[in-house]
């Protein structure tokens, strides 16, 4: 499925949608790096507005880094990874109350709490609860009081967890993503290759329990890119979470394993950054990831708001990391700019989750929207679905189109297939257009006929 379809309606998810043609999805923007990039990074994007009038709302892309836009972008895969990346391993959220955060997400997304590391397991530093559905793993961590954790660092299951840093993170950003974890062939090798190519180290490599590699480098803002590897590949199929996840975790006796709304994996994790060029340069340099797609305001913006975006991917294109920057000088303030202000800097804006049956997933999630679950953005107008019979009647049945309208699902298609998607409202309480939200996907892998 086209990456363009995946990002549809990022600018205006409460749509005023054209009913005469396929609407074009907006791009995603990346968060900014936590510290200045090395001086060797010289490329930058500067958006300049000549005036506030429509005719002069233009951007000037300066330096060697120049976006060509979705239509002119030619995707190639040079297989340039500097180390072997297998997949997304997990996403860790930092908060101040892991018990309630994990319970809400478990209930709202249909992801059972399958493992834990807390006082009951001997962890005196942090409480961490792991949610899992299919290949998707969310970890929620919060600190214990200093009076409890003092001198107990060795009991922490996450070796890089820092109570003071977590409290500061929560005060600055609210509930948010601290780590995007990747499963790699060798965490130590990945770390050393990354640092050798410009990555700022966050935590040196360690071998947990003599069998699980663990290391971190800085990604953008207060977000880290975490590397996890296993000496014995067979341990990922072990039933013990201390083997298939991380040492120090135990199975949760309270797990309601039947809780399942059909969400299966993470498609992409999107970050917002003040400046796109240095962020892209930084990540490309130390990972070797290639450009999978790019978008400019002309591709996905409106006369009132816009953004620029680049999507980076690993060799197998199982890990997609889009990054966005705001476009200035438009009538309405870019939602990326708003995010950066309320988040107090760069960070993960949204996570795109793939469902094996979006109709079932949405019915279950909507049942719980006002009883501890997640609310969704407003649905398109009836005219959108009336026109859908013409646009997608050869792929979707009449009943499926009816269900799309009932559940507020958006439908996009291009020459690679058809995509069904929907956006939640922000899941935090900060007044941000997209402080953090989920984006539920389901693809029909049926080529569009010409």
């Amino acid at each position: 499925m086209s990456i363009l379809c995946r990002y549809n309606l990022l600018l205006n998810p409460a749509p005023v949608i054209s009913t005469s043609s396929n609407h074009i999805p907006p791009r995603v923007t990346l968060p900014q790096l936590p510290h200045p990039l090395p001086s060797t990074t010289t490329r930058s994007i500067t958006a300049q507005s000549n005036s506030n009038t429509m005719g002069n709302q233009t951007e000037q892309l300066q330096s060697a880094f120049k976006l060509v836009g979705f239509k002119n972008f030619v995707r190639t895969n040079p297989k340039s990874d500097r180390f072997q990346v297998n997949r997304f391993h997990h996403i860790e959220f930092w908060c101040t109350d892991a018990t309630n955060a994990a319970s809400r997400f478990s209930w709202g997304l249909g992801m059972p709490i399958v493992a834990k590391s807390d006082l009951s397991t001997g962890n005196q530093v942090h409480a961490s609860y792991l949610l899992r559905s299919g290949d998707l793993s969310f970890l929620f961590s919060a600190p214990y009081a200093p009076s409890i954790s003092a001198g107990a660092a060795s009991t922490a299951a996450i070796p890089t967890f820092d109570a003071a840093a977590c409290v500061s993170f929560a005060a600055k950003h609210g509930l948010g993503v601290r780590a995007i974890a990747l499963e790699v062939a060798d965490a130590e090798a990945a770390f050393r290759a990354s640092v050798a190519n410009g990555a700022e180290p966050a935590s040196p490599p360690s071998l947990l329990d003599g069998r699980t590699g663990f290391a971190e480098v800085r990604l953008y803002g207060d977000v880290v890119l975490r590397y996890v590897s296993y000496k014995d590949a067979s341990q990922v199929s072990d039933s013990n979470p201390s083997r298939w996840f991380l040492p120090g975790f135990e199975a949760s006796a309270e797990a309601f394993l039947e809780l399942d709304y059909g969400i299966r994996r993470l498609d992409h994790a999107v970050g917002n950054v003040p400046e796109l060029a240095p962020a892209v340069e930084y990540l490309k340099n130390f990972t070797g990831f290639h450009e999978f797609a790019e978008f400019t305001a002309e591709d996905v913006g409106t006369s009132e708001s816009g953004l620029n975006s680049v999507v980076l991917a690993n060799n197998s294109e199982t890990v997609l990391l889009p990054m966005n920057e705001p476009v200035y000088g438009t009538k309405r303030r870019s939602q990326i700019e708003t995010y950066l202000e309320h988040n107090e800097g760069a960070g993960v804006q949204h996570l795109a989750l793939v469902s094996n049956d979006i109709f079932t997933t949405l019915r279950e999630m909507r049942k719980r929207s006002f009883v501890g679950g997640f609310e969704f953005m407003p649905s398109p107008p009836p005219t959108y679905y009336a026109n859908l019979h013409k646009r997608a009647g050869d792929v979707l049945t009449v009943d499926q189109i009816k269900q799309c309208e009932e559940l507020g699902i958006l439908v996009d298609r291009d020459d690679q297939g058809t995509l069904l998607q929907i956006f939640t409202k922000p899941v935090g309480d900060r007044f941000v257009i997209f402080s953090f939200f989920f984006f539920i996907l389901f693809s029909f892998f049926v080529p569009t006929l010409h």
Side-chain angles (χ1 to χ4, degrees), residues 174-332:
L175 171 69
V177 173
R178 165 59 176 178
I180 297 175
L182 307 181
E183 182 185 311
V184 297
D186 185 329
E188 181 176 0
F191 176 87
R192 302 206 181 285
S194 297
V195 172
N197 288 281
E200 183 177 349
S203 174
S206 58
L207 191 62
L208 309 182
D209 207 25
R211 52 189 166 80
T212 303
F214 190 100
E216 293 175 349
V217 295
R218 295 192 178 278
L219 184 53
Y220 41 67
D222 291 321
V223 182
V224 298
L225 191 63
R226 177 176 293 167
Y227 301 137
V228 178
S229 64
Y230 302 99
K231 290 188 70 174
D232 180 1
S234 67
Q235 73 184 67
V236 298
S237 58
D238 196 292
S239 60
N240 187 342
S242 72
R243 292 184 60 80
W244 65 258
F245 186 62
L246 292 173
F249 280 81
E250 297 180 7
S252 176
E254 301 82 21
F256 179 39
L257 298 179
E258 291 75 19
L259 189 67
D260 182 5
Y261 307 161
I263 294 174
R264 288 294 173 262
R265 65 178 177 84
L266 178 65
D267 184 82
H268 57 272
V270 182
N272 288 348
V273 294
E275 287 189 84
L276 187 57
V280 170
E281 185 85 356
Y282 173 73
L283 184 55
K284 280 182 68 176
N285 279 349
F286 80 76
T287 61
F289 286 5
H290 62 279
E291 292 189 22
F292 181 80
E294 68 172 50
F295 307 93
T296 64
E298 286 71 25
D299 295 317
V300 294
T302 68
S303 62
E304 297 192 344
S305 183
L307 56 84
N308 293 318
S309 182
V310 170
V311 184
L312 297 182
N314 66 327
N315 282 356
S316 61
E317 299 183 343
T318 53
V319 171
L320 299 178
L321 296 175
M323 295 181 283
N324 306 328
E325 71 171 359
V327 168
Y328 300 93
T330 52
K331 179 186 298 184
R332 187 160 54 95

Side-chain angles (χ1 to χ4, degrees), residues 12-153:
N12 298 290
V16 176
I17 301 175
S18 167
T19 57
S20 59
S21 63
N22 294 349
H23 49 284
I24 297 179
R27 270 167 300 128
V28 223
T29 55
L30 279 161
Q32 187 180 15
L33 301 171
H35 301 292
L37 290 173
S39 58
T40 52
T41 301
T42 58
R43 301 196 301 179
S44 65
I45 296 179
T46 303
Q48 299 177 332
S49 174
N50 294 328
S51 75
N52 290 327
T53 62
M54 281 291 292
N56 292 322
Q57 290 175 356
T58 60
E59 291 179 354
Q60 304 252 338
L61 298 180
Q62 299 180 341
S63 80
F65 187 95
K66 184 174 177 62
L67 300 177
V68 298
F70 179 76
K71 292 182 179 179
N72 296 319
F73 179 78
V74 179
R75 185 189 305 170
T76 60
N77 186 346
K79 305 287 184 180
S80 53
D81 288 1
R82 298 190 186 280
F83 46 89
Q84 183 179 325
V85 177
N86 298 333
R87 63 183 179 97
F88 284 114
H89 187 267
H90 68 274
I91 298 292
E92 183 181 21
F93 298 82
W94 269 6
C95 55
T96 56
D97 184 346
T99 297
N100 282 297
S103 296
R104 186 214 176 172
F105 279 67
S106 175
W107 172 250
L109 294 173
M111 299 178 65
I113 301 174
V114 298
K116 64 181 180 179
S117 180
D118 57 13
L119 289 174
S120 70
T121 67
N123 185 342
Q124 296 177 273
V125 177
H126 61 88
S128 290
Y129 302 101
L130 179 68
L131 281 58
R132 187 168 176 83
S133 182
D135 291 327
L136 178 66
S137 295
F138 283 165
L139 182 66
F140 293 85
S141 298
Y144 286 123
S147 58
I148 296 175
S149 60

Side-chain angles (χ1 to χ4, degrees), residues 1-2 5 22 70 413-418 446-450:
M1 169 52 54
S2 165
C5 278
N22 294 349
F70 179 76
R413 66 184 307 185
D414 61 13
D415 59 351
Q416 297 182 43
T418 302
V446 179
T448 301
L449 302 176
H450 296 285

